[in-house]
Amino acid sequence: MPQSPRGDTACLECAYIDDKGIVEELTGKAARLLLQERTRLIEYAKALLRSDRDELGFIWVDERCRWLLVRIKIEAENREGPLARIRAEACEPVFGLTIRELDILTLVAAGFSNDVIAARLAVSARTIAKHVENIFAKTKIWTRAGLASMATDRGILRLPTPGGCHGYPLGTGLIENLSQKSGSSSGSSRQPTLRPILIGMPLSLSARGNADALEMLNGATLAVEQLNMRGGVNGRALQLVTADVDITSSSCLAAAYEALIDDEVDAITAGYSNADPALLRLAGSFRGPYLHAATMDSVVQCVREGFPQLGNIFQVCASDINYGIGLRRFLDSLEARGEWVPRNRRIVALQPFWPGLNIGLDHVDGGSGGKNWQIDVITDLPRDGASWDPVMDKLHRVDPSVVVLASYFVEDAISLQRAFMARPLPALVYKVYGPSIPLYRQELGQLADGVVWATTTGLYADRIGSQFALSYKQRFGRDPGQSHAGIAYDRINILAGAWARVGNARLFSKVAEDLRSTIHRGVNGSYYFGAEGQVGLAFPDDTQDPSISQAHLIFQILNGEQYILSPHPYANSRFQKPSWMLQQ
């Protein structure tokens, strides 16, 4: 084999080529750049795929007289058919041959005489004879048959064929001839078509949670469009691949993940999910980055305990247990400022069954100053249009000072509010996440005013968040919601940054390492996944450092608008007692 040089001049680049010339680099963007400058190599790979041969080896000399040892081998298939793996390695001139001597060795290997070689290269036979003598001396091989055997066995044959491939009987000439018949020309400037970077998105587009799924899809679409307008990532466009799912069904989610993996996506981004261990194992087997916002400490625990097998799974926001911590902090602050005085120390939490859900109610009971709360949990919530009257009956019997809805579904948040406003209590209504979705205010109108709600990841009202909101409205003709539109947008940009730094979306382990070690400032705050469990941090409860965390935002709907009540410095309003509390 030709010897690779030592030092910085050595390179090894690999890529897959399909019969359409689409490139999938394997060792980084250098492979793509190499092929962009040498498009004829792509034509050789396509010709090999159309031939009856399995492998091709040759020497390529570039315009700066650098030698590349090229190997093209059919060794893999995708869903569309076979792929050719192309491997190019910089090497020193074998045996110290000059480029002219390489040309002549290539023709000697075909069995051509000195006179034939002279005619093909338009030089004298005497010049050819002198070069052949030099080749004998450099290789220590003293017969033409020996030179031919050595050159063909070791792939020391130059392409393009010196003097043209017409009448050249060896495999390199046959493949070159086939590539020319396919319509490529030696002067072609066609750039290789690069396979887009595929981002899978399991979304509940036609089932429960579809209003939120549209928020996620729109946020991701906006990010992809903006990135593609700037040239994509490493010269490759980004493309979303969606799978419509019923997010309440583990089997449906598993089928969606398997379909996306079969589509050879480069990453999966998801909103809702659950803590089913089988789903997590499936996501782990994918190996590509899986960025989700399930907001579940049980998932984080699984990743922590299952690392490194589950090291590709990242929860981009803080966990559900932070809701209890944030609620306690908020209630304490209202009491401390005299903005609200509870009638009693009773809280009722309405919490539907959801595998692995834990909103941290144990953090509410106890707390500072010995102001303990009695917490009752109601789990048998109605579904699919059923009456909420039994729930309201229980609320009136308990007569709590705080009613907490621990459901992520906007459908539940809307139904509860309608039932509550029909039979109100002088209680603080505090909801988890659901009112972030525009449908909540659209459906309820004035009935939504006064509701307080929280999210572990929300759209900031700063310049970055406001610019995103403006771009979103210009693109989709409506304002974004306060949470998942932004986090879906951020997830795409987090991945794009990692891919750009690594240079290849398919280097999954390196992409994961980059995700763990970098900080991204998005429209929903800052993302850092370096902690155990690979989960986003909450400000101010997980950390007091806002540069590596997302604020646990608490909103109140006032006069149809969303206002941030907590935490400082993100707050832009103060708590106002809702109408149903003032009327009691």
Side-chain angles (χ1 to χ4, degrees), residues 442-454:
Q442 293 168 10
E443 288 286 318
L444 291 173
Q446 292 182 348
L447 296 180
D449 273 2
V451 168
V452 177
W453 64 275

Side-chain angles (χ1 to χ4, degrees), residues 376-420:
D376 294 315
V377 179
I378 299 175
T379 59
D380 53 338
L381 303 188
R383 280 282 306 272
D384 302 325
S387 174
W388 281 71
D389 285 343
V391 173
M392 291 306 304
D393 290 341
K394 294 178 182 178
L395 288 178
H396 277 273
R397 284 196 299 270
V398 177
D399 191 27
S401 287
V402 183
V403 176
V404 177
L405 177 63
S407 171
Y408 295 133
F409 290 103
V410 68
E411 295 89 343
D412 291 339
I414 291 171
S415 296
L416 170 63
Q417 193 63 17
R418 282 178 172 152
F420 183 89

Side-chain angles (χ1 to χ4, degrees), residues 291-313:
L291 275 60
H292 70 91
T295 322
M296 300 176 73
D297 189 59
S298 53
V299 174
V300 176
Q301 291 281 3
C302 287
V303 172
R304 184 182 294 117
E305 295 167 2
F307 192 87
Q309 289 78 12
L310 302 182
N312 62 315
I313 300 176

Side-chain angles (χ1 to χ4, degrees), residues 206-440:
S206 56
R208 187 170 168 84
N210 60 338
D212 211 7
L214 181 60
E215 289 284 297
M216 301 176 206
L217 180 60
N218 286 349
T221 297
L222 179 60
V224 166
E225 290 177 350
Q226 290 178 347
L227 287 163
N228 286 341
M229 286 182 63
R230 297 196 293 266
V233 176
N234 298 325
R236 295 169 60 183
L238 277 65
Q239 179 179 321
L240 299 178
V241 181
T242 61
D244 195 2
V245 298
D246 177 358
I247 55 179
T248 65
S249 168
S250 292
S251 60
C252 185
L253 283 167
Y257 291 172
E258 289 171 348
L260 292 172
I261 294 169
D262 287 344
D263 285 337
E264 298 178 345
V265 297
D266 300 290
I268 296 176
T269 71
Y272 301 145
S273 184
N274 61 46
D276 186 337
L279 280 177
L280 295 177
R281 288 194 296 271
L282 179 58
S285 69
F286 166 49
R287 300 302 180 196
Y290 172 63
L291 275 60
H292 70 91
T295 322
M296 300 176 73
D297 189 59
S298 53
V299 174
V300 176
Q301 291 281 3
C302 287
V303 172
R304 184 182 294 117
E305 295 167 2
F307 192 87
Q309 289 78 12
L310 302 182
N312 62 315
I313 300 176
F314 299 83
Q315 182 172 289
V316 295
C317 56
S319 293
D320 45 8
I321 59 173
N322 288 85
Y323 282 113
I325 299 171
L327 173 60
R328 180 69 204 222
R329 174 168 42 81
F330 179 66
L331 296 180
D332 286 349
S333 69
L334 289 183
E335 288 191 75
R337 295 195 301 265
E339 295 178 353
W340 171 72
V341 179
R343 296 176 296 107
N344 53 52
R345 309 301 297 180
R346 291 191 293 272
I347 295 175
V348 171
L350 309 177
Q351 183 171 312
F353 173 75
W354 186 259
L357 179 65
N358 174 14
I359 67 163
L361 291 176
D362 55 328
H363 293 283
V364 180
D365 193 16
S368 62
K371 297 179 180 180
N372 296 334
W373 289 91
Q374 175 189 329
I375 302 175
D376 294 315
V377 179
I378 299 175
T379 59
D380 53 338
L381 303 188
R383 280 282 306 272
D384 302 325
S387 174
W388 281 71
D389 285 343
V391 173
M392 291 306 304
D393 290 341
K394 294 178 182 178
L395 288 178
H396 277 273
R397 284 196 299 270
V398 177
D399 191 27
S401 287
V402 183
V403 176
V404 177
L405 177 63
S407 171
Y408 295 133
F409 290 103
V410 68
E411 295 89 343
D412 291 339
I414 291 171
S415 296
L416 170 63
Q417 193 63 17
R418 282 178 172 152
F420 183 89
M421 293 303 291
R423 300 171 58 189
L425 289 166
L428 178 69
V429 177
Y430 190 99
K431 297 181 179 180
V432 166
Y433 176 73
S436 72
I437 304 166
L439 182 66
Y440 183 83

Side-chain angles (χ1 to χ4, degrees), residues 4 17 52 56 97 107 111 116 119 198-199 203 212 227 236 239 288 301 309 359 375 379 393 459 491 524 546 553 569:
S4 297
I17 313 291
D52 59 357
L56 181 69
L97 297 176
L107 299 175
V116 171
L198 303 179
I199 305 165
L203 296 167
D212 211 7
L227 287 163
R236 295 169 60 183
Q239 179 179 321
Q301 291 281 3
Q309 289 78 12
I359 67 163
I375 302 175
T379 59
D393 290 341
L459 180 62
R491 279 195 300 258
N524 278 30
L553 297 177

Side-chain angles (χ1 to χ4, degrees), residues 89-126:
E89 183 178 4
C91 65
E92 297 286 1
V94 63
F95 300 117
L97 297 176
T98 65
I99 294 174
R100 176 55 84 184
E101 289 166 350
L102 174 64
D103 290 345
I104 293 169
L105 175 61
T106 300
L107 299 175
V108 167
F112 294 150
S113 67
N114 287 355
D115 288 339
V116 171
I117 295 172
R120 294 179 73 96
L121 299 182
V123 296
S124 68
R126 180 176 178 180

